Amino acid sequence: MRPARPTLLLLTGWLALGLGGALWPALAEAWRGGGLLLAGLLGTDWLAARRPLDLEVERRPPANLAQGAWATVGLTLRNPGKRAYRLAVYDHHPATAEVTGQPAPLRLEPGASARVRYRLRPTRRGEARFGPVEICVRSPLRLWRRYARLPQDQQRRVYPDYAETVKYNLLALDNQLSQLGIRQRQQRGSGLEFHQLRDYREGDSIRRIDWKATARHGKPIARDYQDERDQEVVFLLDCGHRMRTEEDGHSHFDQSLNALLLLAHVALRQGDAVGLHTFGGPRRWLAPRKGTATLNRLLNQLYDLEPTGHGADFTAAVQGLLDRQRKRALLVVLTNIRDEDGDDLVRAVRMASPRHLVMVANLREAMLDRLVAEPVTTVEQSLRYAAAVDLLGRREGVQERLRHGGALPLEATPDQLPSAVVNQYLAIKRSGRL
């Protein structure tokens, strides 16, 4: 229970009257009478405010939350009693979330119910805890504010931001994947599965013509192909200290999760199985599986992962994977490497290459590109430029070594990574290398 603003104003006026009474004795009697009246009002209103509250509350947060995505939380308050309430509602939302629309003022009549909403945006993945709902009730004379907490503890999971995956679904319906930077090339090459025979169409390659079927039907018949299915894609996710690098408010680890989810979604749509192996932190293994439920399994494996302060041991990670993964697969390594990591990573690639096809998706800081692109007019700028060019050159050296070791290296800035890994995957599928 706390005094409201009118109470503070009345007490201030009463104290001012007391000071006047000290100077002018004629005001002393008014001060004493005013004090008795004020004490009576405050006491009566305090007792009225202390009566039991007949209020019920129900919170309805979304079933799942996504990092960085706004969501609406609804609170329903019911008044089964016979008194009206003037109140303000404040929800004890997860501490790692931004909120708008709180506190919400409300008048609740006897027997009525009301619903208030506020918007919430989680800033971190993992478990999110909602605490009690706190209400501030005004006393009948508005002299007191009573605070009460209505138990309503709940837990929700905050998943990686899979907006890119949702966007892919929507754009795929309209055949507009180019808006994501994903290029769709005409199918060609020997690494494709036969799908069906169809009438020859203008623009088809002459190599597609099935001459036996053409002779039987008396008209040109072409073979139709589809990408090979029933292959496996296994992600090797670096959870080491290099992935803690942040740009534009997002860590490289979170950006890698977005790319992983998008590529997993595309691969599952292609009929491939998808698996997961983490290293450099918590060890998690998800054997490759097919079907839409696999994406949910991935989300449940990834939602609470965070990069650690440890270095990544690529050799040990690949050795652990080789012990589990027998069937040939596309291994997608998501990491952020420096030239000093090159020896370990090249060894790991050479271990895996005889049995698997390895794609190394390496994150590059966008700041390096900006430093190289900005004009050089001062000594300080020239030093930054030289340092950026040197670092990029050393990274390119690592890429070249990986290429000679049998890997398919890929380097991209965080915002380019999702579309870059999907483009590389689709190119691999159509080339028949897997």
Side-chain angles (χ1 to χ4, degrees), residues 268-335:
L268 291 169
R269 282 173 58 102
Q270 293 286 319
D272 290 340
V274 173
L276 173 71
H277 179 65
T278 65
F279 63 99
R283 298 292 182 90
R284 297 188 183 177
W285 163 250
L286 180 65
R289 297 184 186 181
K290 299 172 63 175
T292 55
T294 301
L295 198 59
N296 290 332
R297 295 189 186 100
L298 275 174
L299 285 167
N300 286 321
Q301 288 285 340
L302 296 169
Y303 81 97
D304 60 344
L305 269 181
E306 293 291 347
T308 67
H310 306 297
D313 189 336
F314 295 99
T315 304
V318 168
Q319 185 58 62
L321 178 68
L322 293 176
D323 294 339
R324 293 186 171 103
Q325 182 66 28
R326 300 296 180 182
K327 182 180 176 180
R328 180 172 172 80
L330 171 63
L331 307 184
V332 182
V333 184
L334 293 161
T335 185

Side-chain angles (χ1 to χ4, degrees), residues 24 58 96 210 236 316 363 414:
W24 297 284
E58 179 185 4
T96 57
D210 188 304
L236 281 82
L363 281 160

Side-chain angles (χ1 to χ4, degrees), residues 334-351:
L334 293 161
T335 185
N336 180 356
I337 58 173
R338 301 289 189 273
D339 58 321
E340 58 265 29
D341 305 318
D343 292 340
D344 186 31
L345 183 53
V346 171
R347 276 196 304 271
V349 166
R350 287 175 176 164
M351 288 172 56

Side-chain angles (χ1 to χ4, degrees), residues 67-345:
Q67 180 187 18
W70 286 102
T72 300
V73 180
L75 297 171
T76 301
L77 287 97
R78 302 180 185 88
N79 179 10
K82 299 180 179 180
R83 289 186 296 156
Y85 292 101
R86 296 186 189 91
L87 48 89
V89 183
Y90 181 84
D91 193 13
H92 283 241
H93 55 80
T96 57
E98 300 174 5
V99 168
T100 62
Q102 288 206 103
L106 185 66
R107 179 177 173 84
L108 202 55
E109 299 294 336
S113 63
R115 187 174 185 184
V116 297
R117 296 179 178 87
Y118 68 92
R119 302 264 289 162
L120 172 144
R121 181 170 67 180
T123 57
R124 292 185 61 182
R125 293 172 289 100
E127 295 288 345
R129 178 183 176 274
F130 288 86
V133 176
E134 187 165 351
I135 59 172
C136 173
V137 182
R138 294 182 181 180
S139 60
L141 298 179
R142 301 192 181 187
L143 298 177
W144 298 96
R145 291 181 298 177
R146 178 180 177 182
Y147 291 87
R149 294 185 177 185
L150 307 178
Q152 193 67 201
D153 292 0
Q154 289 174 293
Q155 294 270 358
R156 286 293 185 270
R157 289 181 173 181
V158 180
Y159 289 99
D161 182 12
Y162 38 84
E164 289 288 345
T165 304
V166 175
K167 189 176 179 182
Y168 175 89
N169 262 324
L170 297 176
L171 293 177
L173 295 175
D174 298 327
N175 199 26
Q176 295 174 346
L177 295 181
S178 59
Q179 293 186 27
L180 279 174
I182 298 172
R183 301 183 295 274
Q184 298 207 72
R185 300 184 181 90
Q186 184 179 358
Q187 294 179 345
R188 55 188 173 84
S190 59
L192 303 172
E193 291 183 342
F194 173 76
H195 180 50
Q196 63 184 1
L197 292 173
R198 59 167 173 78
D199 290 344
Y200 179 84
R201 294 193 291 260
E202 184 178 354
D204 285 341
S205 171
I206 195 170
R207 290 179 297 178
R208 286 181 176 267
I209 296 178
D210 188 304
W211 296 107
K212 291 183 179 180
T214 297
R216 286 197 307 270
H217 290 83
K219 61 179 180 178
I221 300 296
R223 297 188 186 95
D224 218 4
Y225 295 92
Q226 65 180 4
D227 291 339
E228 294 182 16
R229 302 170 69 86
D230 299 321
Q231 297 175 322
E232 295 188 352
V233 178
V234 180
F235 293 98
L236 281 82
L237 180 62
D238 185 355
C239 302
H241 65 97
R242 300 232 188 263
M243 303 296 278
R244 301 171 70 176
T245 303
E246 289 198 5
E247 292 186 273
D248 300 325
H250 299 284
S251 71
H252 280 193
F253 189 76
D254 287 329
Q255 298 283 13
S256 296
L257 291 185
N258 293 340
L260 185 156
L261 291 172
L262 179 60
L263 180 51
H265 176 75
V266 173
L268 291 169
R269 282 173 58 102
Q270 293 286 319
D272 290 340
V274 173
L276 173 71
H277 179 65
T278 65
F279 63 99
R283 298 292 182 90
R284 297 188 183 177
W285 163 250
L286 180 65
R289 297 184 186 181
K290 299 172 63 175
T292 55
T294 301
L295 198 59
N296 290 332
R297 295 189 186 100
L298 275 174
L299 285 167
N300 286 321
Q301 288 285 340
L302 296 169
Y303 81 97
D304 60 344
L305 269 181
E306 293 291 347
T308 67
H310 306 297
D313 189 336
F314 295 99
T315 304
V318 168
Q319 185 58 62
L321 178 68
L322 293 176
D323 294 339
R324 293 186 171 103
Q325 182 66 28
R326 300 296 180 182
K327 182 180 176 180
R328 180 172 172 80
L330 171 63
L331 307 184
V332 182
V333 184
L334 293 161
T335 185
N336 180 356
I337 58 173
R338 301 289 189 273
D339 58 321
E340 58 265 29
D341 305 318
D343 292 340
D344 186 31
L345 183 53

